[in-house]
Structures are given as structure tokens and as C-alpha cells.
Amino acid sequence: MKILVPVKRVIDYNVKPRVKPDGTGVDLSNVKMSMNPFDEIAVEEAIRLKEKGAATEVVAVSVGPAKAQETLRTALAMGADRAILVQTDDEVEPLGVAKLLAKIAEEEGPGLVILGKQAIDDDSNQTGQMLAALMGRPQGTFASKVEVSGDTVSVTREVDGGLETVSLKTPAIITTDLRLNEPRYASLPNIMKAKSKPLATKTPADYGVDVAPRLKTLKVAEPPKRQAGAKVADVDELVGKLKALGVAK
């Protein structure tokens, strides 16, 4: 079984984003970029399934600028076998990404597509669900446990009320949650080996997909600064302040 793992290049989670002075977006100049953390979990899970013998090949794919090759090389260093970059300098919305992934999946024929539940830059949480709808495949979202048995995959999902387990027939789509696993660090020898692993470069036009944006960003602004708190002498004063704010009766 082949596993397709989409990954996205985003601002590193340790970096505090800065808004451009004109409010048109987030400033990406001289900012450390890395693989989306949820996608790292997806890569790790795919590699673990391969190590267990449930998969034969792991293919990483990314949609983005030429520098996204660095993100794909990270996936290759972790253990992916080859990579595909759909190169575009335009910002691609979740629907555009899902359409591209659907075309790639039709060509590659993976038994599973495992991707992060959301990207930490736009927090859309849409691509996996849209991909499943476009391809008519079963989906297991917010996965905290994945078990493959033949042509069936059992996915334990994190839901509001606790955990839900669903059984899917492959080919299927899975989106990963934080508690699924802890991604490995790429060793130096594997980083060197990743440089020689195949990485194909395509464009959206190669797949006949229009990635023109359907949404327009009107304004980006930082959240208002939190106001300072105030100390109270006793419970009665606290209740009085809450009543004044209309929080308590």
C-alpha cells in the first residue's frame, strides 16, 4: 500500500507572527519557516505504518513556492521515499489544494492519504474533508490512533465528548491530531540521504487545476492587548465588581 502525505511550509511555531505595516497580511520576510506541526505527525504516522509492514511507499507532496523543497526534504529525511512539489508563488486556498491533491492521488493511487488536521497559519481545517468529498472516499478526522488491518483501517477520533472509533475501507483519508504520535528527529545521515531522493516539480497547470483565490483578505490586525487585572481585598469586593460588569447577579 502506498501512503500520500501532504505537507505545508508555514511560519515556525516558535516564532511570533508580525503583521505588515499596511495590514495586508503577515510579514514573512526574514522569518524562520518549517513544516506544519500537524503534518509532521502525519509524516511520522506514515513512516511508522511502513515500518510495521502496512505500507510499501511513502510519498510526500507540497503545494507552495520553490522554498517548499526544504520542507519536502525534511519529510524525506524523516523517512519518506520520494516527494512531489506543486510549485506556485500564489497563495492557494484549501479548495485549490484539495483539487490538486485529488489529481495527484488519482495518478499515484495511494491506499491512504494522511495529512494534518489543519495548518497553523490559516487554521482552516478544511483540506482533508474537501479532499475526501472530491474523491468520494471515507474519512477519519482528528485521529489520535490509527490501526491498519488488510484493506480496513481503524481510526480513533478525538471528539468533543471523548473518543470515537470508526472503521474505514481503503482507500481512505485521515487527518491527524496532536496525540497521535511524537515525530522523530531526522538524523544527520538521513538528512544527507534525503538530498539524493527523488523530488519531482510540477505546476497547477500540469494538473489542469485553477488555483485562483475565491476569498479576499480585507484587513489583518493584531489582537487587542489584554488589559491589566486588579487585585481585590476580599470575596465581597470581587462579587461587587462582577455585578458591576453584569457577570454576576
Side-chain angles (χ1 to χ4, degrees):
M1 179 177 68
K2 184 187 297 183
I3 301 179
L4 190 69
V5 187
V7 297
K8 186 177 184 182
R9 179 176 182 264
V10 299
I11 294 178
D12 189 87
Y13 67 93
N14 287 311
V15 175
K16 182 180 178 181
R18 301 189 308 270
V19 176
K20 292 181 180 178
D22 59 2
T24 57
V26 176
D27 187 1
L28 300 180
S29 59
N30 301 317
V31 174
K32 182 183 178 183
M33 307 291 283
S34 61
M35 187 188 301
N36 179 47
F38 290 103
D39 296 339
E40 277 190 296
I41 294 170
V43 174
E44 175 66 27
E45 191 64 22
I47 295 168
R48 291 188 184 188
L49 289 173
K50 182 184 175 183
E51 291 172 344
K52 292 177 182 177
T56 55
E57 185 181 27
V58 176
V59 182
V61 57
S62 188
V63 180
K67 288 185 177 180
Q69 288 189 29
E70 300 169 6
T71 305
L72 288 171
R73 292 294 180 193
T74 299
L76 293 171
M78 289 175 68
D81 298 290
R82 57 187 175 90
I84 301 170
L85 171 63
V86 183
Q87 187 172 327
T88 174
D89 292 325
D90 299 327
E91 185 175 348
V92 185
E93 294 171 355
L95 180 58
V97 175
K99 288 180 177 179
L100 287 168
L101 293 178
K103 293 289 186 181
I104 295 171
E106 287 175 6
E107 286 187 358
E108 296 288 339
L112 286 176
V113 180
I114 306 178
L115 63 160
K117 70 172 184 177
Q118 66 193 72
I120 62 172
D121 53 0
D122 56 18
D123 278 333
S124 293
N125 182 21
Q126 296 174 338
T127 304
Q129 293 88 327
M130 287 177 170
L131 177 60
L134 288 171
M135 301 196 70
R137 292 188 178 183
Q139 60 179 310
T141 54
F142 314 122
S144 61
K145 186 177 181 181
V146 176
E147 294 179 315
V148 177
S149 177
D151 62 349
T152 302
V153 55
S154 176
V155 179
T156 301
R157 304 180 59 237
E158 297 206 359
V159 295
D160 291 342
L163 299 174
E164 175 188 63
T165 302
V166 295
S167 180
L168 313 173
K169 287 287 185 181
T170 57
I173 313 295
I174 297 173
T175 70
T176 60
D177 215 329
L178 283 173
R179 278 159 286 279
L180 179 58
N181 60 52
E182 185 174 340
R184 69 192 67 188
Y185 288 103
S187 64
L188 182 59
N190 287 338
I191 292 173
M192 299 305 293
K193 290 177 184 177
K195 294 180 179 180
S196 61
K197 288 185 178 181
L199 193 160
T201 302
K202 302 283 188 176
T203 66
D206 292 333
Y207 297 102
V209 175
D210 178 15
V211 294
R214 290 168 169 78
L215 303 175
K216 181 180 179 181
T217 301
L218 301 179
K219 183 181 179 182
V220 177
E222 292 187 4
K225 292 184 179 180
R226 186 175 179 179
Q227 295 182 350
K231 291 184 178 181
V232 294
D234 49 39
V235 174
D236 290 338
E237 185 180 352
L238 172 62
V239 173
K241 286 184 176 291
L242 293 176
K243 285 182 178 180
L245 296 171
V247 178
K249 296 182 179 179

